[in-house]
Amino acid sequence: MTIAQQMPKADSHLPDIEATARGLYIDGNWRQSKSGRKIGVTDPSTGALLAAVADATVEDAQASIEAASRAAPGWRSTPPRKRSEILRRCFELMIERSEMLATLISLENGKALRDARGEVAYAAEFFRWNAEEAVRITGEFGIAPSGGNRIIVDYQPIGICLLITPWNFPAAMATRKIAPALAAGCTVILKPASETPLTAYALASIYEEAGVPPGVVNVLTTSEPAQLSAAILTDPRVRKLSFTGSTGVGRLLLTEAAKQIVSCSMELGGNAPFIVFDDADLDAALDGAMVAKMRNAGEACTAANRLYVQSGIYAAFAEGLAKRMAALTVGSGVDALTECGPMITPKAVEKIDRLVADAKAKGARVMCGGEASAGPGYFYPPTVLVDMPEGVEMAHEEIFGPVAPIYRFETEDEVVARANDTEYGLAAYVFTRDAARGLRVSSALEAGMIALNRGLVSDPAAPFGGVKQSGLGREGGQHHGIAEFMEAKYIATSF
Ligand code: NAP
């Protein structure tokens, strides 16, 4: 018996997992996969099976392209005001059901309920923001420099979009794509991560209830993501791929998308530096570090992966951070007292263990944590490492867990060079009381987003994205997010 079958159904704050896992969502219908196979969904807090979802085949993927294609003309010609109102309703329903959605996220992802509540609010905000943007899509009009003709630029929906999302923010990574795509007038196929499909299906029910027409959003889970995405991306009707996930899979998908010259937006991995200068406000830097490191138990692309602290403040910062990290309550995601939930899989714990063992072997000193916890559940304790040596693996790899390695630095030029010594360029954090230095360092850091004297950078109203191998394109922001789902059409005319 799965946990879904054991859960009481009467409390509306509790998700009805069995109903959520009722099938693939294609053309406004819930249907079983042509394969008849299922994918097990596990609760990382216990290792127990939560539910099983349908495992889509290439044939199911083709059905979703047909549905998205049939729905496309009607949706792109739906008045922006009407599209906006439907998106607004999605926002309202998500807020009404936020406790149920947060519980579902905690169950399948393991994140602490307080993080899951934060995610639902953030995820819903993409609908509110894009409901407001949907009615503000404008064009351009100008006179050619020769004076011989007029230039009209019209922005049109790009077409059918394939959206692929990771497990670490099962609601927000989906709504950050779906909301702007729908605002722009596109129809979509969402392929959520296999570890956390239930949230994507729960949200599909909300879209349906909000009035999103059949075929406009289709949701498919599969154990064969490479085959399915290849089949979808080689269909000439599909014009957009928006992917959030690892840089490695992003590279594979870019190759696949090249076959039909499909437009790509890529939100990939990160290796964020967190820089604290001697003149920083120590408490503010510690507060910031706790958010930047421990939001989602470190399983975030924006997570502080390398903490660089200047010599004069190093000891005080390390001691303060170790005290706060050691005091965190580790436990099951759905327990209201939990501050640090489990990792997503046993493999994730093994990776963190390997990186910490490598750092220890090369001379790092453990101030707290430092060893994987015994099961059940996939736990790793909050860990602080100091006296970090050069040449450790975790300086170049995403830790994706609750481990804070603190490196010492002496000068501004040195720390900027070390911070930029990575293939990634997503987020970076800077703490200093010197405003000029804060802006100078922010400008010199190779990252798409800088948090200056703050531990949190994400905001639906700001352009989210990376440089270097952290990605292509932006999500959210005043026009950036929607622009990714539109094509400029230029009309030359004379009159
Ligand atoms: P992942 O392994 O790259 O998977 C992401 C998605 O891609 C999942 O839906 C996965 O499906 C699918 N996928 C895997 N292999 C594929 C293939 N060969 N072809 C097509 N699709 C494929 O990443 P993850 O472990 O879920 O997520 C963690 C990564 O995401 C980290 O690197 C993190 O930094 C990054 N991330 C970036 C951002 C950002 O905004 N920049 C935000 C969140 C996370 P299955 O689940 O079925 O394997």
Side-chain angles (χ1 to χ4, degrees), residues 47-108:
L49 185 67
L50 266 179
V53 295
D55 185 359
T57 61
V58 167
E59 219 181 315
D60 296 312
Q62 277 153 354
S64 71
I65 303 174
E66 291 299 332
S69 176
R70 272 194 305 277
W75 185 246
R76 68 186 285 152
S77 58
T78 299
R81 174 62 70 202
K82 173 86 178 142
R83 291 206 296 260
S84 163
E85 279 164 2
I86 293 173
L87 294 179
R88 172 80 199 188
R89 189 70 192 127
C90 290
F91 162 73
E92 289 163 356
L93 288 172
M94 280 188 73
I95 296 300
E96 270 172 36
R97 316 257 160 93
S98 55
E99 204 52 23
M100 178 279 286
L101 290 168
T103 307
L104 190 56
I105 292 172
S106 284
L107 277 169
E108 65 174 349

Side-chain angles (χ1 to χ4, degrees), residues 164-169 173 176 191-195 222 225-226 229 243-247 249 252-253 267-270 301 398 400 426 464 470:
I164 304 181
T165 51
W167 50 263
N168 65 336
F169 288 93
M173 297 304 97
R176 200 163 79 175
K191 205 298 286 167
S194 307
E195 289 91 351
T222 181
S229 53
F243 172 74
T244 299
S246 60
T247 296
V249 172
L252 293 174
L253 283 165
E267 295 287 349
L268 307 176
C301 53
E398 281 187 293
F400 241 59
L426 190 61
F464 188 107
S470 285

